[in-house]
Amino acid sequence: MLLFFCFIYTNAFANPVDSLLKNKVVVKNISFPDLQLANGPMDSSSFIIPFSKVGNLMLIKAKADSVEGNFVLDTGCPGLVLNLTYFRKYSSSQESDAESEGITGVTRADQVEIGNFNFGTIKAYHVKADCVNLGNIENSKGIKVIGLIGMLFLQNCELIIDYQKNLMYFHVIGRKEASVYEHSMLKDETAYRTIPFEMSENRMILRTVMAGKKLRFVIDCAAETNILDSRLPDKIFETLSITGKVSLVGVGNKKVDAVKGSLAHFEIGGQDISDLPVLVTNLEKTCFSNGGCVDGVLGLDALSVQKIGFNFMKLKMYIWK
C-alpha cells in the first residue's frame, strides 16, 4: 500500500504515516456525530460536517468504538488509518504480503478489519484499515488525532470544502444521478474553474505541464507542504528559489534529505500560482504498484483559500476564484 500523507514541521520531521503501519485492530463501530443538514430540500444522501483547521490539517470529530476525537480528512491516504496510541489493547495480526511505501522506503504493513464504519450517511461494513503511530502529528500540533479518513469513503461522493465557514458539504451520488447531480453552489459557472483529474489506486492525480514536460501530481488535502521529485529535468527547477534544507524522517528514524524553496510560477487549470512553497526530494519510493510514478504532491492550500470541490464520479475539481 502506498501512503502520501506528507507532514512537515519546525524540526523537519515528515511523513508520520510513511512506513509506520504496525498493529491490526478490529473496531466494532465508528460514527460521526455533530452533523448538520443543509438548507432546502434534503435527503439521506446529503450532509454537512463542520471541521477545524490546524495548520493544513482538516479535523473532523469522530468516534471509534468508545474512542472519540479528531480524525484527519486525508485524500493522500487510500482508506482508513487508526492511531496505535489509542488502540494498544486490541488484538493484532499480520498480513503476510502487506507493505507500505513512502518517501523513506518500504515497510511491513498490518491491516485492520473494521466491523462498521459510519461517515455521515455513508455506511461501510468489514472495512480494512491500518493502525499507525501518529505521535509525530500530535506532538507537533498539540492535539489528539484518532485517525485518518482516506479516499475509500469519498469515491462515490461530491465534496465541497468551504474554508471561510469551516464546513464540508457531502453528497453521496446515486447511480441514476451520476451524470447530472450538481450542488447549488455550482450553478454559477463563472464563480469557479473546473479542472479534470484522474484516479489511480485510490489517489487523485492531476496533470499539468512545466517547462514543456507533462507531469502528474497527487492531490493531498493533508499535505503540510508541496513536493517536487528531484529527478525531474533541471529546466523545471530554473525558477526555484532555494531557502534551505531539511531532513524527512520515517519509520525507524530513516531519513531522506530535501531542499526547501519556492517556485516562481506554477500553472494548473489555467491558474498561475506564484511563489509556490515546495520541498524537493527523491520520490522513487512512491511509485504505484502498476508501475506508474508521480512527479509531486500538491496540498489544497496551494490551490484555494475560499472553496474547493470534488466530484469523484465525474472526476472534476472545482476551484473558486
Side-chain angles (χ1 to χ4, degrees):
M1 183 177 70
L2 181 62
L3 292 173
F4 273 100
F5 188 101
C6 287
F7 183 68
I8 307 296
Y9 46 92
T10 54
N11 59 352
F13 281 72
N15 277 8
V17 179
D18 174 20
S19 305
L20 289 177
L21 303 183
K22 288 295 182 184
N23 290 315
K24 185 171 182 176
V25 180
V26 175
V27 177
K28 296 178 181 178
N29 184 53
I30 295 180
S31 60
F32 291 77
D34 301 323
L35 302 183
Q36 304 178 19
L37 295 181
N39 295 326
M42 287 290 301
D43 57 41
S44 61
S45 297
S46 296
F47 57 96
I48 302 174
I49 296 182
F51 69 91
S52 299
K53 203 160 186 288
V54 180
N56 287 353
L57 303 181
M58 290 181 289
L59 304 174
I60 301 170
K61 288 294 183 181
K63 187 176 182 179
D65 280 352
S66 61
V67 183
E68 185 174 6
N70 299 311
F71 278 69
V72 176
L73 183 70
D74 184 5
T75 58
C77 173
L80 178 67
V81 174
L82 298 174
N83 192 341
L84 171 65
T85 301
Y86 308 109
F87 298 92
R88 293 185 184 277
K89 294 182 180 180
Y90 284 73
S91 59
S92 63
S93 61
Q94 185 176 20
E95 295 285 341
S96 60
D97 58 350
E99 288 184 342
S100 169
E101 293 184 64
I103 292 174
T104 59
V106 179
T107 299
R108 301 292 306 170
D110 295 333
Q111 292 188 320
V112 177
E113 180 75 19
I114 303 296
N116 300 285
F117 190 92
N118 304 313
F119 181 76
T121 61
I122 301 171
K123 299 182 185 297
Y125 305 94
H126 305 294
V127 180
K128 291 183 178 181
D130 297 291
C131 200
V132 176
N133 189 338
L134 299 179
N136 284 350
I137 305 176
E138 296 185 307
N139 293 337
S140 173
K141 300 301 183 183
I143 55 173
K144 284 187 176 182
V145 176
I146 308 302
L148 314 175
I149 302 168
M151 285 298 305
L152 176 65
F153 309 102
L154 305 177
Q155 57 189 358
N156 296 321
C157 293
E158 178 193 75
L159 167 63
I160 297 177
I161 302 171
D162 188 329
Y163 293 107
Q164 296 175 331
K165 295 182 179 180
N166 278 26
L167 293 175
M168 296 181 186
Y169 298 80
F170 287 87
H171 181 81
V172 182
I173 302 174
R175 185 178 300 176
K176 293 182 179 180
E177 61 179 358
S179 61
V180 297
Y181 175 78
E182 188 176 74
H183 195 280
S184 59
M185 283 191 281
L186 296 171
K187 298 300 182 183
D188 182 6
E189 296 183 359
T190 64
Y192 59 87
R193 296 179 176 88
T194 301
I195 303 173
F197 64 88
E198 304 166 7
M199 294 299 298
S200 178
E201 299 185 22
N202 265 352
R203 306 313 190 295
M204 297 170 56
I205 304 296
L206 195 66
R207 292 184 181 270
T208 188
V209 177
M210 293 181 65
K213 181 175 176 60
K214 296 179 179 179
L215 303 179
R216 300 200 313 161
F217 284 81
V218 168
I219 305 299
D220 185 355
C221 68
E224 285 286 291
T225 186
N226 308 295
I227 298 177
L228 278 177
D229 191 346
S230 60
R231 299 172 299 164
L232 292 172
D234 292 342
K235 189 175 182 180
I236 289 178
F237 300 107
E238 289 180 355
T239 63
L240 176 69
S241 297
I242 299 175
T243 58
K245 294 183 178 181
V246 295
S247 293
L248 311 183
V249 181
V251 68
N253 291 323
K254 295 179 182 178
K255 295 182 180 181
V256 296
D257 294 326
V259 172
K260 184 179 181 181
S262 63
L263 285 175
H265 298 285
F266 182 84
E267 185 175 325
I268 179 172
Q271 176 182 358
D272 183 67
I273 303 173
S274 59
D275 298 322
L276 178 71
V278 297
L279 292 182
V280 180
T281 191
N282 192 314
L283 295 181
E284 66 179 337
K285 300 296 185 181
T286 60
C287 293
F288 296 114
S289 61
N290 61 15
C293 298
V294 296
D295 302 296
V297 179
L298 285 177
L300 297 193
D301 277 19
L303 303 177
S304 176
V305 294
Q306 297 184 46
K307 294 189 189 78
I308 190 167
F310 306 93
N311 187 310
F312 296 101
M313 298 288 282
K314 295 181 179 179
L315 300 182
K316 291 183 178 180
M317 178 169 64
Y318 311 105
I319 301 177
W320 269 255
K321 299 175 182 178

